[in-house]
Amino acid sequence: EGKEGSEAWAASWGYSHPQCLDYKPPFQPQQPLVFCKEYSKFGCCDLQKDEEIRIRFYTIMENFDHSGYVTCSRYIHSILCQECSPYAAHLYDAEDANTPMRILPGLCGNYCADYWHRCRYTMSLLLEDLGVLHQYANITMAIEEDRKRFCDFLELKDKQYCYPNVLTSAELNANLGFVRENPKGCLELCLQEVANGLRNPVAMIHADDGTHRFFVAEQLGYVWVYLPNGSRIDRPFLNLTHAVLTSPWAGDERGFLCIALHPRKAYVYYSVSVNKEERIRISEFTLSPHDDNQLDHSSERTILEVTEPASNHNGGQLLFGHDGYLYIFIGDGGRAGDPFGKFGNSQNKSTLLGKALRVDVEDNDDAPPYSIPWDNPFLWEKETRPEIYAYGVRNMWRCSIDRGDPVTGGGRGRMFCGDVGQNKYEEVDIIVKGGNYGWRAKEGFSCYDRKLCQNSSLDDILPIFAYPHKLGKSVTGGYVYRGCEMPNLNGVYIFGDFMSGRLMSLKENVTTGEWKYNEICMGRDQICRFPKLINSFYKYIISFAEDEAGELYFLATGAPSATTRAGFIYKIVDPSRRAPPGKCSIKPLPVKIKGKLIPFLKPPMPKRDKTPPSSLPSPTTATSKMRQTPTSATITKAPTTVQKPRGRGRGTKRGRGLRAGSVRLVSTDGLPNRGRVEIFVRGQWGTVCDDLFTSKAGTVVCRQLGFKTALAVLKRAAFGEADGSVRILLDDVECEGQERSLLDCKRSRVGKHNCSHAEDVGVICGYHKNITILCH
């Protein structure tokens, strides 16, 4: 059963990577294992799975007398427990979904010979335990009598990854379960695409109401509602396109820039033209009384307007702090070097430009739009705007508030911002009350205006990190990861650069207060070979976001134009370790939908530039956020119409006489009892996704074809993927086993799915009852 040529396979992919039989990364069990104790610190089993293996072990060992138990128990124990190994997928040849899984884990040659010599006759017991003895009944005896055939069946030729060598390999077990670094020290992470076809997606926020919805704003002025399953409501949450000032040219900083939610209200930040004068407008909207997924467009109330002397450096951040106040981040007014007045707008506290503001919008329905918090730092200072919370900022683009360590609460409430630099440096700041962040006196840690920089009254706060323009020319601030799914990333601040496409990270040394920098790169080879994960992205990183559960995302585009549908949303995934199963499960509260849902359809992977960000062409200019014209960009437009797939095999005309729900099995070897499941619906053949598909559904398929039952259900396209002309017609199929066809089972509607052909399900049919296995 083992895949032939393991050594060639290993050479092809470079090296293996920890992976479980469910095609997910290993984890640290929440409770120590009792039976497979060697995998208590890190592996693929929780306590429930450990108990299942223990029961199987003692069921097998009931066949032994005392001496046999003493001799063979260690072999049976070790073989059964390899399901818990962090390299289980490699031991079972399960990493490639297009090849069959091994029945038993791959053993090393010497260990296999020793096993054969002492306990060869236990193989039939292991196969019986797995329910597959009938498939090997004619050859089991011959294998057990012949050491070479025995070990040909069990041995994994890869001497590094076979059992037990895999346990003792220093290379494989060094830093096991930690984020892998490439030879240059770059943290290797992966991505999951969750939305596409957007026009410059500038912001994404979550509802924070238990529904786990998130809201995505496009620069044109649309805000869309997405549900946890990736589908989008067809009617926008907000449509301000009639008022928003922007243009189609690449890099225009004007437009709809941000949104923040408050109970039953939303606050928005956008560019507007009033009597040919460009302004920043912050407005308030109330939620529609008839639809929780729409704002009342007639309820707009202007909270604040600021005149913009230039078309760039518009700032563009709104967020509510843990104190309940609304924070507003406004740029310095544009042009180069903040040339306004004696010291520039940013150092001038009589203007709102180049500032972080804090206002109170609670209970403002029958009052002024906002009030000033009593502890604002400059409330009583003459010739100073009382709204100012911090100053000396240039063009802060994307700020976030730290949720705090989930156990200790450390770091909670800190406000991180990326501040776009001028000629040399980009910086990341932690915003504090009353702080002066140095612009235009300083750019990063260096002096920009030398005379102002030497002013002893400056008393500015230095960034926690600054980087030169050889790394990037327009910082995009991010978030400190505080989610559940990726324990290794807790406390890591992840951010990026709009121009270079770099993903970057900072990790605080809590003892010294210093922040360590690591670049983030995409996992090489098979590090990202997990379901639905990818290792490439479009380089113009516009914004970062977190969902209600604290998982991190970033928004990017292949063409930074407000009118080009080249925008994507990517979820950041650490492939080295996940949380234990069940720990991070969420149950979104239901939300009433008015209108239609547009399902998320992942298009075929576009041809992308996979050049590492460090060697991407450098832009020719750099002034401010989203102002530069990129030197190159890969653009993929979402199709406006879906081409109807061609019939395949017995399709349409050639399918006369076929009933809806007819099935067939397709495989390369042509055997009639096994293959990929294809179903005939609406005049065409299509495939079935493996989500929720069990042996009961497999039995429905097999009975239609004249067999008694399903001997095996094989997931992850084990019988090969259908080509791109074949649609995926069914998903989430749940059967009782007696239905006439899969169309009679509980399922998603025809054509609705969130799968790829890498999840095409297959079955093996037969005539034996009660011998079914489920192969991942």
Side-chain angles (χ1 to χ4, degrees):
E1 278 288 321
K3 187 189 314 118
E4 294 182 3
S6 294
E7 292 174 343
W9 178 89
S12 170
W13 289 109
Y15 54 89
S16 187
H17 189 67
Q19 186 174 340
C20 301
L21 295 183
D22 62 359
Y23 298 96
K24 295 180 181 179
F27 55 89
Q28 181 177 344
Q30 290 180 283
Q31 298 171 285
L33 306 185
V34 175
F35 186 70
C36 301
K37 295 179 181 179
E38 61 268 41
Y39 301 115
S40 278
K41 290 185 177 180
F42 189 66
C44 293
C45 291
D46 56 14
L47 201 57
Q48 179 181 349
K49 184 64 177 177
D50 182 65
E51 175 63 11
E52 292 174 7
I53 293 173
R54 186 191 70 83
I55 292 172
R56 288 166 54 196
F57 170 81
Y58 284 111
T59 301
I60 292 173
M61 299 314 295
E62 287 176 356
N63 295 281
F64 292 81
D65 58 17
H66 177 71
S67 61
Y69 189 101
V70 171
T71 304
C72 298
S73 61
R74 65 187 179 97
Y75 293 104
I76 303 299
H77 178 279
S78 296
I79 290 171
L80 292 178
C81 282
Q82 291 322 297
E83 289 187 38
C84 302
S85 167
Y87 290 101
H90 192 88
L91 289 166
Y92 284 84
D93 273 351
E95 289 167 306
D96 187 347
N98 296 309
T99 61
M101 241 176 62
R102 296 176 64 97
I103 297 299
L104 294 169
L107 306 180
C108 300
N110 292 339
Y111 185 86
C112 182
D114 189 44
Y115 173 39
W116 178 85
H117 180 72
R118 295 174 180 272
C119 299
R120 72 191 77 166
Y121 300 114
T122 61
M123 179 186 284
S124 59
L125 295 174
L126 287 167
L127 295 177
E128 183 179 16
D129 170 65
L130 292 169
V132 296
L133 180 60
H134 63 284
Q135 296 182 34
Y136 302 96
N138 295 331
I139 62 171
T140 301
M141 184 176 296
I143 289 178
E144 289 179 338
E145 294 298 334
D146 185 327
R147 183 181 65 81
K148 184 179 184 304
R149 293 183 67 184
F150 185 90
C151 287
D152 283 345
F153 184 79
L154 290 179
E155 188 177 350
L156 187 67
K157 300 300 182 182
D158 189 330
K159 295 181 179 179
Q160 187 178 28
Y161 286 96
C162 59
Y163 179 82
N165 291 2
V166 70
L167 289 179
T168 58
S169 169
E171 180 184 351
L172 293 179
N173 291 283
N175 298 318
L176 189 61
F178 292 94
V179 181
R180 186 186 289 269
E181 295 186 9
N182 73 5
K184 295 183 179 180
C186 185
L187 303 181
E188 295 190 301
L189 299 181
C190 306
L191 304 174
Q192 179 183 349
E193 184 183 314
V194 298
N196 53 44
L198 292 158
R199 292 158 296 194
N200 265 14
V202 293
M204 168 181 158
I205 58 173
H206 60 83
D208 198 24
D209 61 358
T211 63
H212 290 266
R213 291 172 295 164
F214 57 90
F215 301 81
V216 177
E218 293 179 316
Q219 189 176 356
L220 276 175
Y222 290 106
V223 181
W224 303 98
V225 181
Y226 285 80
L227 301 185
N229 63 7
S231 59
R232 174 170 67 85
I233 298 175
D234 65 340
R235 294 190 295 180
F237 181 67
L238 178 64
N239 178 359
L240 273 183
T241 55
H242 65 284
V244 168
L245 174 64
T246 189
S247 73
W249 57 268
D252 192 346
E253 294 183 39
R254 302 166 302 175
F256 189 100
L257 300 179
C258 203
I259 181 171
L261 297 181
H262 206 47
R264 308 301 297 179
K265 291 183 179 181
Y267 293 85
V268 299
Y269 188 126
Y270 64 98
S271 304
V272 64
S273 177
V274 179
N275 297 324
K276 298 183 179 181
E277 181 181 71
E278 292 187 12
R279 298 181 185 178
I280 291 166
R281 178 179 290 169
I282 289 86
S283 287
E284 175 190 87
F285 288 85
T286 58
L287 199 63
S288 167
H290 311 293
D291 188 352
D292 284 350
N293 295 303
Q294 273 205 324
L295 293 176
D296 180 354
H297 285 61
S298 66
S299 67
E300 182 174 10
R301 179 190 191 192
T302 299
I303 298 295
L304 182 68
E305 276 191 2
V306 180
T307 300
E308 271 283 342
S311 62
N312 60 344
H313 299 195
N314 296 288
Q317 182 70 52
L318 295 176
L319 53 81
F320 281 94
H322 289 169
D323 54 16
Y325 297 132
L326 178 64
Y327 289 80
I328 305 168
F329 295 83
I330 300 178
D332 66 7
R335 301 181 191 168
D338 193 7
F340 306 100
K342 186 177 181 180
F343 301 114
N345 284 326
S346 292
Q347 293 296 322
N348 178 3
K349 287 181 282 187
S350 67
T351 177
L352 299 181
L353 294 167
K355 309 297 188 299
L357 314 180
R358 182 174 72 159
V359 298
D360 186 353
V361 293
E362 288 285 353
D363 303 321
N364 66 349
D365 291 343
D366 300 313
Y370 65 84
S371 60
I372 307 300
W374 64 271
D375 61 339
N376 267 16
F378 308 109
L379 183 59
W380 307 111
E381 189 173 303
K382 290 183 179 180
E383 298 181 357
T384 295
R385 292 294 298 264
E387 296 94 339
I388 297 173
Y389 183 78
Y391 65 106
V393 307
R394 183 176 181 273
N395 189 33
M396 287 194 160
W397 182 253
R398 292 304 167 245
C399 303
S400 64
I401 294 180
D402 188 354
R403 295 186 179 206
D405 185 278
V407 177
T408 67
R412 177 176 167 80
R414 292 182 300 183
M415 190 179 300
F416 291 78
C417 287
D419 198 2
V420 180
Q422 179 67 45
N423 296 326
K424 295 182 178 180
Y425 299 100
E426 307 295 307
E427 68 182 69
V428 176
D429 298 296
I430 295 180
I431 305 301
V432 297
K433 183 168 66 174
N436 179 3
Y437 289 86
W439 177 249
R440 75 183 185 194
K442 288 182 180 176
E443 179 187 12
F445 294 101
S446 300
C447 288
Y448 178 80
D449 182 328
R450 294 194 175 276
K451 184 176 180 180
L452 186 58
C453 188
Q454 294 168 1
N455 189 325
S456 59
S457 65
L458 186 64
D459 193 26
D460 59 321
I461 296 174
L462 295 177
I464 62 170
F465 179 70
Y467 61 92
H469 279 186
K470 67 179 181 180
L471 294 183
K473 299 184 178 182
S474 190
V475 66
T476 301
Y479 283 79
V480 177
Y481 179 76
R482 299 298 188 185
C484 174
E485 295 177 7
M486 302 179 289
N488 285 337
L489 297 185
N490 181 40
V492 176
Y493 177 73
I494 295 178
F495 63 109
D497 188 275
F498 173 79
M499 289 302 296
S500 69
R502 277 191 202 288
L503 287 170
M504 298 174 275
S505 73
L506 299 173
K507 177 74 172 180
E508 184 183 22
N509 182 323
V510 293
T511 302
T512 64
E514 296 179 348
W515 293 80
K516 178 186 176 184
Y517 169 80
N518 275 103
E519 187 172 341
I520 293 173
C521 50
M522 295 293 96
R524 301 161 299 152
D525 302 324
Q526 70 193 63
I527 287 177
C528 295
R529 285 178 62 84
F530 293 95
K532 301 181 181 179
L533 297 193
I534 57 176
N535 65 349
S536 60
F537 60 91
Y538 288 103
K539 80 169 193 175
Y540 297 102
I541 301 173
I542 301 175
S543 190
F544 285 80
E546 64 179 358
D547 63 19
E548 192 167 346
E551 303 305 321
L552 287 194
Y553 303 75
F554 69 92
L555 290 63
T557 185
S561 164
T563 58
T564 304
R565 291 188 180 275
F568 290 73
I569 300 177
Y570 301 102
K571 182 179 181 181
I572 297 171
V573 179
D574 172 17
S576 64
R577 177 186 170 198
R578 60 170 156 151
K583 182 179 180 182
C584 304
S585 60
I586 59 171
K587 294 182 179 179
L589 295 176
V591 58
K592 293 182 179 179
I593 305 296
K594 293 187 177 182
K596 297 179 180 179
L597 286 179
I598 302 172
F600 169 63
L601 295 175
K602 184 171 170 35
M605 283 294 290
K607 184 177 180 181
R608 306 186 188 187
D609 180 5
K610 295 194 177 184
T611 308
S614 58
S615 57
L616 286 170
S618 297
T620 55
T621 59
T623 54
S624 59
K625 169 61 58 181
M626 293 179 65
R627 181 58 190 245
Q628 305 89 340
T629 301
T631 56
S632 63
T634 303
I635 304 172
T636 298
K637 292 187 179 181
T640 54
T641 60
V642 179
Q643 183 179 359
K644 186 176 181 180
R646 299 187 302 272
R648 186 172 182 274
R650 301 179 200 166
T652 322
K653 292 181 180 178
R654 287 168 287 181
R656 287 174 181 165
L658 286 175
R659 285 189 173 188
S662 296
V663 290
R664 68 182 182 187
L665 301 179
V666 178
S667 65
T668 55
D669 55 21
L671 295 176
N673 74 323
R674 63 190 62 201
R676 178 177 64 245
V677 176
E678 294 194 356
I679 187 168
F680 187 79
V681 186
R682 297 176 183 172
Q684 62 180 308
W685 287 100
T687 63
V688 180
C689 182
D690 61 24
D691 293 342
L692 304 182
F693 200 98
T694 67
S695 59
K696 291 182 179 179
T699 296
V700 172
V701 170
C702 292
R703 285 179 176 170
Q704 280 183 264
L705 297 173
F707 296 94
K708 191 80 172 179
T709 187
L711 300 179
V713 170
L714 292 96
K715 300 196 172 189
R716 309 305 307 158
F719 284 114
E721 300 181 21
D723 65 44
S725 66
V726 180
R727 291 183 64 193
I728 301 171
L729 295 182
L730 292 186
D731 188 14
D732 295 334
V733 177
E734 296 180 272
C735 302
E736 295 299 323
Q738 305 300 321
E739 293 88 344
R740 289 182 301 174
S741 79
L742 297 180
L743 295 181
D744 295 325
C745 301
K746 182 181 177 183
R747 56 180 172 79
S748 300
R749 71 170 184 263
V750 173
K752 180 183 178 184
H753 65 88
N754 59 354
C755 309
S756 70
H757 281 302
E759 295 165 83
D760 286 340
V761 73
V763 300
I764 299 175
C765 300
Y767 298 95
H768 302 279
K769 290 185 177 182
N770 302 324
I771 310 179
T772 58
I773 55 175
L774 189 66
C775 297
H776 293 277

